[in-house]
């Protein structure tokens, strides 16, 4: 932990800096993987499965039987939890479907926007220790609500060539159309380029390691869109004198357990709460199964005492955290002052894990300071907004002169003529 | 013109292909320019002005006096036109400010989204023959409506070191905070990195040549967002038997005059209208001052006859045009079938130039097939949507079990503990 009391503003810009990621030059490696997938399709993916995941897989596509049997491999309790989470996530994301508002800008000129779905989307779910079925919920539910026709999912197989049943169950439950056993940069290449089994998609979503992140960036060269740039997960907690150190510590640790590169920041205006949260964090840390990750993450974490909540908020806006917890009595007052954050948790009972799993908000959020210029994933991420306009003859008569003058001033006389020819 | 009657579906994918742009490997060149701007700041920009624009400029920032005097250098008629356009663009974009909808996903759990402005944005306006003050309107108006604190504009000076007065006037009129005399990749570098005069920004908007486009992509390595990927401008017109060939031809040419790489597509179900539009296009072409650009653009344009409007619409969706004109009697019926397009113009009086200048919709739109996965610029482009959530004690009691089960199934016990500690 890096502990700092009442830091001068001059050093804030140092304190908000993320550790520079040692990102190797991966472009060449990624380009080779894309080439290989383009040339050999499914066979390339089968070979990569052997090479990178030590898995022998005959069919890249998960069979109907595998998906059906996943239902028997997970507990009823977990199924019920997934269902409840799905209900809340659906309710919140459905509220994001906009009404069409037709605006008559001047008489006879009507303009509006309509949502159209991005027809084909791909979801990437990483392998590793934790089966991230919650991310399947967060990406497949808005995709299905938006009406995407093709929602495919790629995830690496385990050494026996299987996919975790919680991922398969959730995928089916949330309308994923096809699941494929492939991971890493090659899965991203397959979704960008298409193979015999895997359809190419227009937008790719989901987290991953540095190879996946680099491959998503590279996929943009193939006219594929991606959800957002990525970095390690972060939480920033602001606590006043009524905050509860046990809760604050638990929230900080729930971020720290993600990985050794997780970012954890604690700001307080109350020295007692500040000191107790530090103690409590060290105490709870010892009891965690993933405490090796958490211990590493805490080494670079900042615990900072401020002399006012306004200062703490200003610091938070400069940091632009992925998750922001306001463990404040008077949190309502501070909402308008929040300028940069991915998702905000208000009050002592709004723990980050509520939003990670089941409250209804999305957990795919901007990290690494990108909360300054990016939104998290929402229904909007799965649609385009198309503008429509209809001018009546009267509308063009009202607007024509304006267009003609502007077009002429820009030296674009064919633009002018498109109006003149209609008005003559 | 490439004329095609009733093409088989098998060849559609060939017909919708954009010419592959001869894009040189610019990365090294762009990286050098970024390095130079990072090292030498304003002095680098002054040197680049001499080198690339043959302009001697002492101060990169346009002075108050220059901005004030621009008002006297443009006609009252043009000022009035700009004002009218501004009113319509403001009206339409203001309608995009969403209401806050608080959703109680389950009892005691309230989730919502609020817009927050992207605080610092940069607008790039290219130099060249046409002074694109209309693009200033399209980018500065939503930026100001969104509440961006810093709205800067970079544009290259002419050989005398001046900026076109229509650009300066429009910039001031629409709330641009600072204007700088710098163009090309170096202007993008300056907005991404900041110099002594130019503040760094969080998002960069605006069109440009291949150097500008490459520099915008490169700027993303510095955590700067960009409006969208770019390509040459496009229009696709669908005409039935009641369309008016003179109007269709004028619309096609208003796109073709942009540049020799402009994309122009005409689809019709009526052979008479089809032939007359071809004739009319050739006739009107001769009278255009920019007919050299238009002639080149028409060489690669497609004029295609279809046997049904449904087929024409399907082809259009495959092409995903930036601008789509439905010169159809029964256009209402076809709106739901439009899947991929940037902006749509309905009926015989809705010419594209209305949307280019003054109807109210934005003219910064996805090209090159990106209408499949990107929206055009709107108020949304200048804000982030932050999610908020508040759980009462009761709310966490209602949701707690669900979170605990899911966290445990993902092996993230600190996530579970953040709930358990609050419920015990």
């Amino acid at each position: 932990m890096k502990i700092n009391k009442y830091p001068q503003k001059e050093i804030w810009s140092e304190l908000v800096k993320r550790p520079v990621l040692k990102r190797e030059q991966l472009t060449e490696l990624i380009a080779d993987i894309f080439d290989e997938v383009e040339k050999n399709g499914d066979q390339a993916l089968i070979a990569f499965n052997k090479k990178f995941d030590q898995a022998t897989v005959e069919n890249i596509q998960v069979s109907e039987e595998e998906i059906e049997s996943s239902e028997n491999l997970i507990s009823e309790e977990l199924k019920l939890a997934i269902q409840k989470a799905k209900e809340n996530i659906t309710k919140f994301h459905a509220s994001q479907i906009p009404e069409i508002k037709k605006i008559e800008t001047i008489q006879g000129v009507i303009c509006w926007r309509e949502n159209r779905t991005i027809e084909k989307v791909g979801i990437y779910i990483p392998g590793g220790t934790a089966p991230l079925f919650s991310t399947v919920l967060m990406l497949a539910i808005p995709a299905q609500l938006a009406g995407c026709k093709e929602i495919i999912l790629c995830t690496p197989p385990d050494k026996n060539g299987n996919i975790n049943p919680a991922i398969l169950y959730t995928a089916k439950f949330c309308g994923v159309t096809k699941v494929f056993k492939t991971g890493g940069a090659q899965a991203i290449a397959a979704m960008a380029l298409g193979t015999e089994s895997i359809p190419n998609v227009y937008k790719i979503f989901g987290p991953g390691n540095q190879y996946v992140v680099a491959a998503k960036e590279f996929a943009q060269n193939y006219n594929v869109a991606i959800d957002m740039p990525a970095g390690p997960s972060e939480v920033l907690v602001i606590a006043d004198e009524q905050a509860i150190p046990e809760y604050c510590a638990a929230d900080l640790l729930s971020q720290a357990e993600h990985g050794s590169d997780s970012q954890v920041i604690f700001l307080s205006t109350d020295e007692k709460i500040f000191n107790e949260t530090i103690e409590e964090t060290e105490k709870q840390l010892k009891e965690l199964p993933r405490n090796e990750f958490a211990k590493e993450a805490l080494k670079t974490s900042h615990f900072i005492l401020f002399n006012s909540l306004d200062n703490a908020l200003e610091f938070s806006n400069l940091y632009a955290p992925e998750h922001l917890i306001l463990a404040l009595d008077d949190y309502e007052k501070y909402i308008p002052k929040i300028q940069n954050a991915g998702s905000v948790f208000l009050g002592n009972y709004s723990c980050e894990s509520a939003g990670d799993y089941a409250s209804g908000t999305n957990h795919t959020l901007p990290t690494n300071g990108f909360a300054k210029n990016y939104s998290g994933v929402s229904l909007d991420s799965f649609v385009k907004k198309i503008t429509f306009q209809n001018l009546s003859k009267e509308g063009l008569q009202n607007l024509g002169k304006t267009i003609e003058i502007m077009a002429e001033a820009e030296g674009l006389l064919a633009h002018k003529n498109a109006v003149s020819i209609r008005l003559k």
Side-chain angles (χ1 to χ4, degrees), chain A:
Chain A
M1 294 178 195
K2 297 180 176 176
I3 295 172
N4 216 313
K5 293 185 180 181
Y6 313 115
Q8 298 295 308
K9 272 202 186 172
E10 291 73 52
I11 68 156
W12 285 16
S13 60
E14 276 308 308
L15 295 176
V16 299
K17 268 191 192 154
R18 273 69 168 178
V20 177
L21 300 176
K22 269 180 243 138
R23 201 157 116 204
E24 299 156 50
Q25 249 326 321
L26 296 174
T27 316
E28 219 171 299
L29 179 66
I30 300 293
D32 286 347
I33 290 176
F34 271 67
D35 277 350
E36 185 59 23
V37 172
E38 189 161 29
K39 230 181 293 166
N40 297 318
D42 286 351
Q43 284 313 310
L45 301 179
I46 287 170
F48 282 126
N49 275 343
K50 278 210 183 97
K51 186 175 170 190
F52 295 131
D53 299 298
Q54 292 79 50
T56 303
V57 159
E58 266 178 52
N59 288 314
I60 287 294
Q61 184 166 357
V62 175
S63 69
E64 269 306 309
E65 296 74 47
E66 286 174 279
I67 291 172
E68 292 302 329
S69 68
S70 70
E71 204 173 333
N72 305 319
L73 297 171
I74 65 171
S75 71
E76 286 305 313
E77 189 184 57
L78 182 55
K79 275 188 250 180
L80 195 64
I82 289 171
Q83 189 190 316
K84 283 199 170 176
K86 187 185 175 206
E87 283 165 15
N88 294 343
I89 297 164
T90 300
K91 197 164 175 186
F92 185 58
H93 287 75
S95 77
Q96 295 162 7
I97 300 172
E99 281 172 76
I100 294 172
K101 284 195 261 181
K102 294 199 176 182
I103 307 294
E104 190 162 28
T105 50
I106 62 168
Q107 204 167 355
V109 179
I110 297 172
C111 305
W112 70 96
R113 299 196 295 172
E114 294 189 21
N115 273 6
R116 288 293 184 277
T117 181
I118 297 174
E119 290 176 287
K120 308 199 286 178
V121 299
I123 297 172
Y124 183 74
I125 300 292
T129 46
L132 296 179
F133 61 86
S134 62
T135 303
V136 182
L137 286 162
M138 295 295 173
L139 297 175
I141 291 172
Q144 196 180 26
L145 272 173
C148 301
K149 280 187 202 160
E150 186 93 77
I151 307 169
I152 68 170
L153 188 152
C154 290
T155 189
D158 66 19
K159 291 198 171 115
N160 302 316
N162 297 322
I163 306 290
N164 184 290
I167 289 177
L168 291 183
Y169 174 79
T170 310
K172 192 196 168 198
F173 189 57
C174 298
V176 169
T177 48
K178 287 169 187 158
V179 182
F180 299 97
K181 295 174 181 175
T182 174
Q186 59 274 19
I188 306 301
M191 292 194 277
L193 302 164
T195 70
E196 307 91 303
S197 309
I198 305 185
N200 74 312
V201 299
Y202 301 150
K203 192 166 183 177
I204 298 174
F205 295 80
N209 62 21
Q210 59 170 337
Y211 299 98
V212 170
V213 169
K216 280 170 70 184
E217 282 169 12
F218 194 78
Q220 296 182 87
N221 297 325
Y222 295 84
N223 290 14
V224 176
I226 63 170
D227 47 1
M228 69 184 82
S233 197
E234 309 158 343
V235 72
L236 185 150
V237 179
I238 305 180
D240 66 7
E241 70 288 346
Q242 63 77 59
I244 296 160
E246 288 89 334
Y247 299 0
C248 294
D251 290 333
L252 295 169
L253 287 167
S254 78
Q255 193 57 54
E257 79 169 339
H258 270 299
S260 51
D261 55 359
S262 285
Q263 299 294 301
V264 172
I265 314 269
F266 182 71
L267 313 181
S268 186
T269 48
D270 186 286
E271 191 148 12
K272 184 162 172 283
I273 299 288
F274 185 72
N275 292 330
E276 286 177 15
T277 301
I278 292 171
E279 277 166 40
E280 188 64 32
T281 304
E282 278 164 350
K283 195 179 121 197
Q284 289 183 26
L285 173 66
K286 294 188 189 117
E287 291 150 32
L288 286 183
R290 289 170 72 98
N291 69 7
E292 273 177 50
F293 288 133
K295 209 183 282 175
E296 276 303 305
L298 284 177
K299 276 188 195 158
T300 56
S301 68
H302 288 287
F303 285 67
I304 310 176
L305 196 60
F306 279 95
N307 53 20
S308 77
L309 285 175
D310 278 338
N311 271 343
L313 248 302
E314 192 180 334
F315 182 89
S316 172
N317 285 331
L318 195 64
Y319 182 79
E322 180 190 16
H323 303 97
L324 169 62
I325 299 179
L326 295 191
L328 305 177
D329 188 32
D330 205 9
Y331 56 76
E332 288 277 1
K333 191 179 139 190
Y334 293 94
I335 292 176
K337 297 186 181 179
I338 296 167
Q339 179 61 40
N340 301 317
S343 195
V344 184
F345 300 77
L346 301 164
N348 284 334
Y349 288 95
S350 303
C351 51
E352 190 206 303
S353 42
D356 287 340
Y357 288 109
S359 62
T361 58
N362 209 290
H363 79 199
T364 307
L365 296 165
T367 53
N368 201 25
F370 282 111
K372 286 179 182 161
N373 41 16
Y374 284 86
S375 309
V377 163
S378 70
L379 189 91
D380 304 339
S381 313
F382 296 88
V383 298
K384 306 95 59 176
K385 287 176 194 290
I386 302 181
T387 48
F388 289 83
Q389 64 198 279
N390 177 234
L391 283 78
S392 64
K393 191 172 178 181
E394 187 204 4
L396 191 62
Q397 279 162 348
N398 288 334
L399 200 60
K401 188 85 185 152
T402 298
I403 302 167
E404 289 177 326
I405 293 166
M406 292 174 75
E408 184 152 6
E410 286 194 349
L412 296 174
L413 292 188
H415 282 66
K416 181 185 178 187
N417 189 50
V419 174
S420 314
I421 207 166
R422 285 167 161 98
L423 291 182
K424 81 173 177 212

